[in-house]
Amino acid sequence: MSNGAHLLLVDDDPDLLRLLSMRLTANGYRVTAVGSAEAALARMSMQLPSLVISDIRLPERDGMALFQQIRSQYPALPVILLTAHGTIPDAVEATSLGAYAYLTKPFDAKVLLERIGQALALTAPTANRTSGDDSWRAEIISRSQSMAELLAEARLVAASDASVLIRGESGTGKELLARAIHRASRRAKAPFIAVNCGAIPEPLLESELFGHVKGAFTGAVTNREGLVQAADGGTLFLDEIGDMPLLLQVKLLRVLQERVVRQLGSDAGKPVDVRILSATHRDLDAAMLEGQFREDLYYRLNVITLTLPALAQRREDIGLLSTTFLQMLAKKYEKTVNGFAPDALEALTRASWPGNVRQLYNVVEHVCALATAPLVPLSLVQRALRVPTLEVLSYTEAKQRFERNYLVQLLKLTDGNVSDAARLAERNRTEFYRLLQKYDLNASQFRIDNNAVAEERQE
């Protein structure tokens, strides 16, 4: 079954491209055909295919150079090479470097379809190999190339039980990625337990992770199962692992090595089967050098590293995220808000976003709660972003605004006494009256009613 997978064909023979495209399309695949390595790389930058089929001999840059660049930029993308007899040594070398397979021209179309099916089966998420849907990553909203590449790697990682360290700035969605990996894994039906190592006080973290027996410490009135045991058969996600105290790092390392957990206050061990995913925004390499993080634990956790890009590195997602969040929040708050004004959306796209996706969500929630019209205006977005509104006035408008405010301040200061106000302004009364008339200001409105003040004091 093809499940509509997208294949990229690369060959400088137009007749072969046409024939292959027809056969693969007839078998349910979506096919893009190009005649050079440069065209292939350009296509991949716009949309990442599920698999690449490339001839080794290509004009200008050959298929081997294309393959090496694919390995560098898109390590999870499977490649099948087509080769003539004279380039078989190159094809053999390519398979040793990670190409999925090579076929010698002329090749059997049935064999090619088998190789394609095998390659796609290996790179499909474990939990979805038959359905082909993307429900495993439904919470991750993106159309950017960088996220597409990361998610392709995450799909491959999910099929194994290897420990994964997820790096990224705060607010980039590290827990969402961990949940996606869990859903795409063979452990999808078992528990996913998330623990924020930086949010739980050190005295409580050991008990939370490993559990305790009755009497282990003051207040331990019953036996309690820890979160490591609660995740048995499933996935344990340790967020902000860099904040874990050194003493607990030793205990966690022992659990990973022995696959046995010992409750606080007990010498008996209980076997556990958990997959560890961890995340941090800290530089663990620097923490190791400073003696704040154990090197042996680091290598246990960092079998595979996935790095989430900052929101500023995937600006093409900001409009999609903003609109999606607005629709969700409008429903939550029962508001009739349909979208953003064009200049408001542009302001969101240009913002710096130091808090990443979490900050964007908060800003959208702010504007949704305060919106009074179907379209969110620029001014509301600027307020949520705490960007001062820059109002550009002409020289005449600025001068008039200053004069009016200046006259108002003088009248307030002198309690509406025109003679005193004119003297402070170093202008004669006649000229000062003209200025008041110009701005439709009535000095009597600024006078304090002494009788009213006296009555107020008596009360």
Side-chain angles (χ1 to χ4, degrees):
M1 293 294 291
S2 72
N3 293 317
H6 178 207
L7 310 183
L8 177 63
L9 305 182
V10 192
D11 201 303
D12 61 341
D13 183 343
D15 293 330
L16 180 62
L17 278 182
R18 191 178 305 110
L19 179 62
L20 270 180
S21 296
M22 290 172 59
R23 285 179 177 172
L24 294 173
T25 302
N27 280 274
Y29 293 106
R30 294 182 295 115
V31 179
T32 299
V34 297
S36 68
E38 285 71 20
L41 292 170
R43 287 282 184 173
M44 282 187 279
S45 68
M46 292 184 286
Q47 182 183 14
L48 201 64
S50 304
L51 179 143
V52 176
I53 302 171
S54 175
D55 190 10
I56 284 186
R57 285 189 174 175
L58 295 171
E60 298 178 5
R61 188 188 316 209
D62 64 21
M64 282 295 292
L66 172 61
F67 165 73
Q68 289 168 355
Q69 187 153 351
I70 291 173
R71 287 295 87 190
S72 173
Q73 289 185 245
Y74 316 107
L77 182 61
V79 178
I80 294 175
L81 296 171
L82 307 179
T83 176
H85 286 286
T87 54
I88 287 179
D90 288 338
V92 172
E93 180 189 355
T95 54
S96 70
L97 294 174
Y100 180 75
Y102 73 90
L103 297 177
T104 305
K105 295 179 180 179
F107 52 83
D108 187 328
K110 183 179 178 181
V111 174
L112 175 61
L113 289 171
E114 288 176 355
R115 295 290 184 273
I116 293 171
Q118 292 165 357
L120 293 175
L122 284 173
T123 55
T126 305
N128 298 301
R129 283 181 182 168
T130 56
S131 65
D133 65 73
D134 283 339
S135 59
W136 67 282
R137 51 144 296 180
E139 291 181 304
I140 300 176
I141 302 163
S142 176
R143 60 186 173 201
S144 72
Q145 187 63 31
S146 60
M147 286 297 292
E149 294 164 20
L150 177 68
L151 290 169
E153 291 183 33
R155 287 176 63 180
L156 287 179
V157 166
S160 73
D161 253 357
S163 297
V164 181
L165 177 63
I166 303 172
R167 297 178 183 268
E169 297 176 7
S170 294
T172 49
K174 296 186 285 294
E175 184 173 341
L176 289 182
L177 182 59
R179 289 184 182 276
I181 292 171
H182 172 73
R183 281 195 296 268
S185 75
R186 65 178 179 82
R187 299 175 180 267
K189 294 182 179 179
F192 175 91
I193 304 294
V195 185
N196 189 323
C197 300
I200 302 174
E202 183 176 343
L204 297 178
L205 184 57
E206 182 176 7
S207 174
E208 286 292 316
L209 282 175
F210 308 114
H212 61 256
V213 296
K214 181 179 179 181
F217 52 85
T218 303
V221 295
T222 60
N223 293 343
R224 181 179 178 184
E225 182 184 76
L227 295 175
V228 175
Q229 283 180 270
D232 190 29
T235 303
L236 180 67
F237 174 57
L238 300 173
D239 197 7
E240 298 305 344
I241 188 67
D243 294 335
M244 178 177 281
L246 282 168
L247 179 63
L248 296 190
Q249 292 178 30
V250 175
K251 292 199 69 170
L252 177 62
L253 179 63
R254 188 178 299 123
V255 171
L256 296 179
Q257 290 173 336
E258 301 175 3
R259 295 291 170 179
V260 171
V261 63
R262 291 177 178 82
Q263 291 177 301
L264 190 62
S266 172
D267 294 328
K270 296 182 180 181
V272 289
D273 171 28
V274 294
R275 182 187 192 175
I276 302 292
L277 305 179
S278 53
T280 182
H281 73 281
R282 293 185 59 190
D283 184 346
L284 292 187
D285 297 291
M288 282 194 300
L289 292 174
E290 295 168 1
Q292 297 177 357
F293 201 85
R294 291 184 63 93
E295 185 176 357
D296 44 8
L297 178 60
Y298 174 80
Y299 290 115
R300 279 276 181 176
L301 297 174
N302 191 27
V303 176
I304 298 169
T305 300
L306 297 176
T307 303
L308 276 162
L311 184 57
Q313 295 172 324
R314 42 182 286 221
R315 290 191 180 276
E316 61 268 47
D317 283 341
I318 292 175
L320 175 62
L321 285 164
S322 301
T323 303
T324 304
F325 291 159
L326 187 65
Q327 291 171 351
M328 292 166 47
L329 291 163
K331 185 176 181 181
K332 174 183 175 181
Y333 290 119
E334 298 181 349
K335 301 288 288 282
T336 53
V337 186
N338 303 324
F340 293 89
D343 53 358
L345 198 58
E346 183 179 357
L348 289 170
T349 305
R350 292 180 180 274
S352 58
W353 300 116
N356 295 293
V357 180
R358 185 186 295 121
Q359 182 191 6
L360 175 61
Y361 183 90
N362 291 340
V363 165
V364 175
E365 186 168 21
H366 180 126
V367 301
C368 183
L370 296 179
T372 56
L375 285 181
V376 176
L378 172 62
S379 58
L380 198 52
V381 167
Q382 288 176 327
R383 176 178 171 181
L385 289 170
R386 297 180 182 177
V387 175
T389 303
L390 178 61
E391 185 180 7
V392 180
L393 303 174
S394 68
Y395 174 78
T396 302
E397 290 172 329
K399 181 182 177 182
Q400 289 174 348
R401 182 172 297 187
F402 171 79
E403 281 187 345
R404 189 181 190 285
N405 291 338
Y406 177 69
L407 293 172
V408 168
Q409 289 174 12
L410 287 177
L411 290 172
K412 286 181 177 179
L413 185 63
T414 60
D415 296 335
N417 188 307
V418 175
S419 297
D420 290 345
R423 185 173 65 256
L424 289 173
E426 298 182 359
R427 292 289 184 271
N428 60 52
R429 282 171 53 88
T430 303
E431 184 182 358
F432 197 83
Y433 268 117
R434 287 200 199 99
L435 287 171
L436 295 180
Q437 290 173 356
K438 177 181 178 181
Y439 294 106
D440 197 23
L441 292 173
N442 187 344
S444 63
Q445 294 175 344
F446 294 87
R447 290 172 191 158
I448 296 176
D449 188 338
N450 292 325
N451 293 329
V453 172
E455 290 174 3
E456 185 177 340
R457 286 176 179 172
Q458 289 174 0
E459 292 176 0

